[in-house]
Amino acid sequence: MKSKAILLTLSVLAVGAYSCKKLDVPVESQFVASNFPKTLSDYNASMGAIYSNLSSQFAVPYWRMQDMSTDEAILPARDGNFDDGGQYRQLHYHTWTPDHPNVLTIWQWAYGGITTCNRLLNITNSFGFSDAEKANHLAEIRAMRALYYFFLLDLYGNVPIVTDYPVVSSPATQPRADVYKFIESELTSLTGKLPAKSSNAATNTQQYGRPTKGLVYALLAKLYLNSEVYGGAARYPDVVRMADSVQANPNYSLDARYRDIFLPNNGPQIKETIFAIPYDQQIPGNQFTRFGFFYYLVNAYGFNVGLSIAMSTTPEFYARFNLPGDFRTTTWLAGPQFVPDGNGGFTSTPVYYPGTTTQININPVLTLVPPKPMDVGNTIATQSEGVRSIKYYPDPTIIQATRLNGNDVPVLRLADVLLMKAEAILRGPAPLP
């Protein structure tokens, strides 16, 4: 026994000495024999990495990339506060560079998800599933990888297509049109391999937040609607065809009450959700209230945490989409503020600035104060400039330690599909019978 121990010690030392000199050995896997998934629980835990990565950056950094480069959202500085090195100005004025925090973070986030998918494809193939089980798991992973690639295609255009794990050399960038074709090929090959939303509540709860046929059809509709942008020919009839495929499932329908779709207790009971990212106080990532709320209102909404006062929408956007008589206008915080009714609406009781009898009044106008760039100042009056959105209704369980929302964030909805279908019909030729 002693001689074996000595041999083992020498072997370890020899390997250690060799490894200190051979620093460029490629890492084959983060899994070794001792921690390779052995049980179904182990495997499911490994699969969870795809979804935890997705939730980690979607609800704020990815959203900022998509919305703060448009008129929909702006995060002005307030007497120098919240400038954060000018990163929000760069998004608003379209002057970002490759090392911009959001640009870099979302690139790494998407490829982190893709790398996880590629690794799990290898694990699934060697795990010991039956052919049917293996096919189901492989389809789920490939669908999620296609979703990550869609984010990259839409945001960056020309990106590397990586399907192997491990990657032994730096992959070359592919033309945007080729990335588009790759995503289309992946999605169209999965339509017969993924489950459809059913009329069974327990089944839908189990599938919630995971890819289904509906995700494939809705994502293909998005792909085809922007086909000309992505490097292909116009494909408006295909948008209609994919939308019809979603609508063919009677288990998708528009919810009677718009507000319910985005409340903190939303979930698989929402009928129009096709694919959503679940969040709660244990799943970090959703901090819409932290960044987009108006902190002088926290007590009126039933919580008391430190929040930003910065992010809002532009007056032009608010004026364009603030439709009289539309219930969705109650998702804006603008004008005199009243105590919420706990059901997504408002009472007639005013909310006052702390320690005063002055009713809080949020001014839609943002007035930039020179010479500081994109700065509105930091007085009570200027803090109150800029309409805030509570589309994702403030979660009363929010706490100071995390400042998280429990609202799930829908990525694909039936309402979105119907609007894509309408746009395709308006823009393109009538679909073939």
Side-chain angles (χ1 to χ4, degrees):
M1 290 293 291
K2 184 177 180 179
S3 62
K4 289 182 180 178
I6 292 172
L7 286 173
L8 178 61
T9 301
L10 291 173
S11 298
V12 171
L13 290 173
V15 170
Y18 177 77
S19 64
C20 288
K21 297 177 181 178
K22 193 72 172 176
L23 298 178
D24 59 347
V25 176
V27 177
E28 296 296 325
S29 173
Q30 72 177 36
F31 292 109
V32 294
S34 61
N35 67 353
F36 190 88
K38 297 180 178 64
T39 67
L40 186 57
S41 294
D42 294 339
Y43 177 84
N44 289 337
S46 300
M47 282 285 288
I50 297 176
Y51 300 100
S52 61
N53 181 79
L54 183 67
S55 61
S56 67
Q57 303 294 336
F58 185 87
V60 175
Y62 173 81
W63 183 90
R64 283 179 177 169
M65 284 280 287
Q66 288 285 17
D67 288 60
M68 292 187 68
S69 57
T70 72
D71 288 338
E72 186 173 347
I74 183 171
L75 206 164
R78 298 179 185 267
D79 199 20
N81 295 317
F82 309 107
D83 184 66
D84 293 346
Q87 58 177 296
Y88 313 122
R89 283 187 278 117
Q90 291 161 14
L91 289 175
H92 185 72
Y93 291 126
H94 294 196
T95 58
W96 59 80
T97 55
D99 60 350
H100 184 281
N102 265 122
V103 174
L104 188 60
T105 294
I106 296 306
W107 176 278
Q108 294 171 336
W109 165 73
Y111 273 109
I114 289 166
T115 299
T116 298
C117 290
N118 289 337
R119 185 179 71 243
L120 283 165
L121 289 173
N122 289 352
I123 292 172
T124 302
N125 279 317
S126 58
F127 188 75
F129 287 120
S130 68
D131 289 345
E133 290 171 332
K134 181 189 293 187
N136 291 339
H137 288 297
L138 291 176
E140 177 181 357
I141 298 167
R142 286 173 58 200
M144 292 303 297
R145 185 177 66 179
L147 179 64
Y148 279 114
Y149 268 115
F150 176 79
F151 296 148
L152 288 168
L153 168 77
D154 192 54
L155 285 174
Y156 300 97
N158 304 339
V159 299
I161 299 174
V162 183
T163 57
D164 297 325
Y165 184 86
V167 178
V168 296
S169 61
S170 181
T173 296
Q174 301 299 317
R176 195 178 206 182
D178 290 349
V179 183
Y180 165 86
K181 291 175 184 176
F182 169 74
I183 297 170
E184 180 190 19
S185 175
E186 284 290 282
L187 291 174
T188 53
S189 69
L190 295 174
T191 54
K193 300 174 183 177
L194 289 167
K197 183 176 182 179
S198 73
S199 58
N200 183 280
T203 301
N204 292 333
T205 298
Q206 187 178 30
Q207 292 175 352
Y208 185 70
R210 302 170 71 177
T212 60
K213 284 182 171 64
L215 176 143
V216 169
Y217 295 139
L219 198 56
L220 280 170
K222 278 192 179 294
L223 200 67
Y224 294 148
L225 185 64
N226 294 287
S227 180
E228 293 171 286
V229 175
Y230 298 149
R235 299 187 65 173
Y236 296 118
D238 287 325
V239 178
V240 177
R241 184 167 57 88
M242 290 299 103
D244 288 344
S245 296
V246 174
Q247 288 183 268
N249 187 334
N251 298 303
Y252 294 116
S253 62
L254 296 179
D255 284 80
R257 190 170 181 269
Y258 173 82
R259 205 74 185 90
D260 293 344
I261 304 168
F262 307 101
L263 290 176
N265 63 350
N266 63 353
Q269 77 278 11
I270 303 300
K271 296 177 182 178
E272 68 175 74
T273 299
I274 297 172
F275 179 76
I277 300 177
Y279 287 101
D280 58 29
Q281 296 303 317
Q282 283 71 50
I283 302 177
N286 184 344
Q287 292 190 323
F288 280 127
T289 294
R290 175 184 178 182
F291 293 107
F293 195 56
F294 188 61
Y295 73 66
Y296 290 123
L297 292 169
V298 293
N299 291 328
Y301 279 76
F303 52 87
N304 187 13
V305 299
L307 301 173
S308 168
I309 58 167
M311 192 167 68
S312 58
T313 192
T314 63
E316 295 81 7
F317 185 89
Y318 174 66
R320 188 176 183 87
F321 291 94
N322 182 22
L323 306 176
D326 190 327
F327 184 80
R328 290 173 295 180
T329 61
T330 62
T331 66
W332 298 114
L333 294 179
Q337 294 301 295
F338 298 89
V339 174
D341 63 7
N343 196 33
F346 301 94
T347 67
S348 59
T349 304
V351 183
Y352 302 107
Y353 289 103
T356 76
T357 56
T358 303
Q359 186 175 7
I360 293 175
N361 193 332
I362 297 178
N363 182 359
V365 176
L366 286 165
T367 304
L368 299 184
V369 179
K372 296 176 181 177
M374 211 172 89
D375 197 307
V376 297
N378 204 20
T379 65
I380 291 290
T382 59
Q383 287 173 7
S384 303
E385 289 186 3
V387 175
R388 273 65 165 187
S389 171
I390 53 169
K391 174 180 176 179
Y392 290 96
Y393 197 78
D395 186 347
T397 65
I398 188 172
I399 60 172
Q400 181 65 37
T402 59
R403 294 181 282 189
L404 298 174
N405 276 49
N407 318 56
D408 298 345
V409 178
V411 180
L412 298 164
R413 294 166 47 210
L414 178 62
D416 185 18
V417 169
L418 296 178
L419 288 172
M420 287 192 286
K421 179 178 178 179
E423 182 176 345
I425 291 171
L426 179 67
R427 290 178 177 270
L432 297 175

